[in-house]
Structure formats: structure tokens, C-alpha cells
């Protein structure tokens, strides 16, 4: 007791889950995740409700399995998986910072979730949507459709990020914190040039107060309703960009680079949209074999 030891657990290792969760949020989540409030903050609060009072070293895979079983009664499998992913990341940081020696999440399996259908717009739907966009929304949607940029990247776009001569958009504040160069086709170039530049604002898309749009949700859903398009989000414009590229015969690795994906696995969701990509592969092999045999 005097040495602060119990079953070879040192006193400094007796860290309450709720205390470390708060430290993890402040030191890791806030600086590294722009959407920390929507994701990590709520996930950690939910975890604290269940694990408060326990030390990090006391939480076992069985405890997590119990939490998993209780939580699935209230939310979807994918939501539980995201929370457990947050818990696993928390323990990884605890190990790196010398506050834990084991990650119990390594022995807990995530729920199997069926792949959702990738929602994208057909050519006719694109025309309908654009025809019903209001004045400030239309150029934003056009840029999304022709570049695959995320909404936050478009709304945060500044004039000095655009190189008209080289037809490039330079993105510095991306989701994965890596700089990305986005090529502009003629449509995007004309759209950007056509935006009325506000001398009082550095942002390309800004409101009457010279500030960037915080969101365009209301005007976007109004356009969707008028166009008769259902089950569609702004982020699906990014899926539309990728889907149309693949259906036009662009290879998946190029699509991956344009989207800024780190791995090809994230881009493979669009592979089924190219019905002849496997056929082209075996045709190439056939031609090679025929050349060798002849």
C-alpha cells in the first residue's frame, strides 16, 4: 500500500477512463480531427457513461463485448463500429503515451455491416439539379461535380488557392491533412472566373457579410426537392464525380489520386461501375498470349 502497488500495478498506471478520455480529446482529437465535436466528442461521452469509474487497465475485452451488446439495442451496427474504433484509437494513444500496456480492442470484433449502394447522379439528374440551383449554390455544385472536392474544401476555398494559368486548385487543409492539387477542366475554370469576386473577402464563395458559407444545406435540399431527386446528400456529388469518371473509362488509380484517397481500397467501391474493366484485362492477356504462340 505504501508503495502504491496492487498486483504489480503501479499507482501512476491507475488512470481512470474518464480522465484519460478527456485528455485524449484535448491533446489528440481537437488538434487532429476537424470534425472532433461531431464524432469523437459524442463517442467519448457515450463511452464515459459506461466505463466511468474504471481504470484503463481494468477494462477487459469482455467488458467491451457487454458494452457492444447494450449499445446495439439503441443504435445501428455501423454507429457501434465507429464508437469502438474511437475506443481502439484511445487505447493506442494510451500505449504510446506510456499510460497503458495493452489494447483490449484488439480482441473485440466489429459488427459486419453490408456495403451500402454508392449513390450517384445520372446525367439527366445532374442537368435537373443544376437547373434548380439558386444563384449562389450553382457554382458550388458545379465545382463539386467536376473536381470531387469535399464540401468543406469548396466552402473554404480562397482566391490565392486557385492557379488559373496552370488550371490547378491547391488544397492545404484536407481531411487527411495532406496537400492536394486538383486539376480544373474548362467548366470549372469558367465557373470560378464567373464568380463575382468580393474585394472584402478572401473566400471564393462568401455571403453578403463577406464570410464563407458555413453550410449550404437548406438551399441544396431545396434544389433537390424541386428537381425531384431523393435519397441524396451533398457528399454524394463526390461519389458522382468518381462514378462518372469510372464509367467514362478512367482507371481506378487515377480516380484514387483525384479523390485524394490514401489507399486503392477506398476507391474500389466504384469498380463495379466499369462493366468491361475485367474484360479488358483478359483481352490484353489474350492478345499477349496470341503473340507469344504465333
Amino acid at each position: 500500500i505504501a508503495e502504491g502497488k496492487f498486483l504489480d500495478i503501479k499507482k501512476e498506471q491507475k488512470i481512470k477512463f474518464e480522465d484519460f478520455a478527456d485528455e485524449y480529446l484535448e491533446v489528440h482529437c481537437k488538434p487532429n480531427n476537424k470534425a472532433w465535436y461531431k464524432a469523437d466528442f459524442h463517442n467519448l461521452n457515450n463511452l464515459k457513461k459506461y466505463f466511468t469509474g474504471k481504470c484503463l487497465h481494468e477494462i477487459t475485452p469482455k467488458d467491451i463485448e457487454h458494452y457492444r451488446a447494450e449499445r446495439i439495442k439503441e443504435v445501428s451496427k455501423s454507429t457501434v463500429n465507429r464508437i469502438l474504433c474511437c475506443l481502439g484509437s484511445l487505447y493506442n494513444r494510451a500505449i504510446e503515451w506510456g499510460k497503458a500496456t495493452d489494447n483490449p480492442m484488439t480482441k473485440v470484433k466489429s459488427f459486419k455491416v453490408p456495403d451500402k449502394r454508392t449513390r450517384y447522379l445520372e446525367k439527366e439528374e445532374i442537368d435537373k439539379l443544376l437547373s434548380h440551383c439558386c444563384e449562389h449554390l450553382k457554382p458550388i455544385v458545379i465545382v463539386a461535380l467536376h473536381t470531387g472536392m469535399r464540401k468543406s474544401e469548396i466552402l473554404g476555398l480562397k482566391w490565392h488557392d486557385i492557379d488559373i494559368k496552370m488550371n490547378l486548385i491547391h488544397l492545404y487543409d484536407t481531411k487527411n491533412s495532406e496537400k492536394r492539387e486538383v486539376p480544373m477542366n474548362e467548366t470549372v475554370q469558367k465557373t470560378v472566373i464567373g464568380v463575382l469576386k468580393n474585394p472584402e473577402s478572401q473566400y471564393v464563395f462568401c455571403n453578403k457579410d463577406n464570410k464563407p458559407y458555413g453550410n449550404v444545406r437548406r438551399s441544396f435540399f431545396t434544389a433537390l426537392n424541386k428537381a425531384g431527386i431523393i435519397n441524396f446528400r451533398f457528399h454524394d456529388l463526390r461519389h458522382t464525380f468518381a462514378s462518372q469518371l469510372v464509367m467514362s473509362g478512367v482507371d481506378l488509380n487515377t480516380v484514387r489520386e483525384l479523390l485524394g484517397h490514401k489507399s486503392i481500397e477506398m476507391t474500389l467501391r466504384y469498380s463495379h461501375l466499369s462493366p468491361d474493366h475485367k474484360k479488358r484485362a483478359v483481352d490484353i492477356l489474350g492478345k499477349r498470349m496470341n503473340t507469344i504462340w504465333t
Side-chain angles (χ1 to χ4, degrees), residues 70-202:
E70 289 298 316
R71 193 69 178 126
I72 196 61
K73 297 176 183 177
E74 303 171 346
V75 295
S76 67
K77 291 181 179 179
S78 57
T79 299
V80 175
N81 286 346
R82 284 193 292 270
I83 297 174
L84 294 182
C85 182
C86 178
L87 180 61
S89 177
L90 179 147
Y91 267 98
N92 286 336
R93 298 293 84 73
I95 293 171
E96 290 178 7
W97 299 346
K99 298 187 177 184
T101 58
D102 184 49
N103 187 344
M105 269 303 302
T106 58
K107 299 176 182 178
V108 179
K109 293 183 179 181
S110 298
F111 286 111
K112 290 185 177 181
V113 180
D115 294 332
K116 293 184 178 180
R117 182 175 72 89
T118 300
R119 179 71 167 98
Y120 64 91
L121 296 178
E122 298 288 355
K123 181 64 172 62
E124 297 76 14
E125 291 179 304
I126 293 175
D127 295 337
K128 282 184 180 180
L129 175 60
L130 291 176
S131 66
H132 287 93
C133 286
C134 59
E135 185 178 359
H136 80 272
L137 178 65
K138 189 172 182 178
I140 294 173
V141 172
I142 290 175
V143 171
L145 286 168
H146 287 264
T147 66
M149 291 168 59
R150 297 178 177 89
K151 179 167 65 175
S152 60
E153 295 170 342
I154 298 173
L155 298 184
L157 194 61
K158 299 175 182 178
W159 287 109
H160 62 71
D161 297 331
I162 299 173
D163 187 340
I164 295 295
K165 291 183 179 179
M166 298 299 294
N167 288 331
L168 287 175
I169 295 175
H170 299 279
L171 298 179
Y172 302 96
D173 189 16
T174 63
K175 185 178 179 180
N176 55 25
S177 301
E178 293 185 357
K179 178 184 174 182
R180 190 164 97 249
E181 290 183 346
V182 179
M184 293 190 295
N185 58 21
E186 186 178 353
T187 301
V188 175
Q189 188 180 40
K190 287 182 178 179
T191 299
V192 171
I193 293 175
V195 174
L196 184 61
K197 187 173 183 179
N198 187 332
E200 302 297 326
S201 178
Q202 60 182 326

Side-chain angles (χ1 to χ4, degrees), residues 222-235:
T222 297
L224 290 175
N225 289 332
K226 289 181 178 179
I229 298 173
I230 61 174
N231 188 28
F232 196 80
R233 309 162 301 163
F234 190 96
H235 190 75

Side-chain angles (χ1 to χ4, degrees), residues 23-33 40 89 93 97:
E23 181 182 1
Y24 170 75
L25 182 68
E26 291 294 327
V27 179
H28 178 76
C29 300
K30 287 186 179 181
N32 297 299
N33 184 5
D40 301 317
S89 177
R93 298 293 84 73
W97 299 346

Side-chain angles (χ1 to χ4, degrees), residues 1 67 71 174 246 248 271 285 293:
I1 293 174
Y67 166 81
R71 193 69 178 126
T174 63
V246 173
S248 298
S271 62
L285 176 63
W293 291 336

Side-chain angles (χ1 to χ4, degrees), residues 14-43:
K14 291 183 179 180
I15 302 169
K16 294 294 184 182
F17 178 84
E18 60 271 25
D19 294 335
F20 185 76
D22 291 338
E23 181 182 1
Y24 170 75
L25 182 68
E26 291 294 327
V27 179
H28 178 76
C29 300
K30 287 186 179 181
N32 297 299
N33 184 5
K34 292 185 292 184
W36 66 269
Y37 186 80
K38 292 182 179 179
D40 301 317
F41 178 78
H42 295 288
N43 289 339

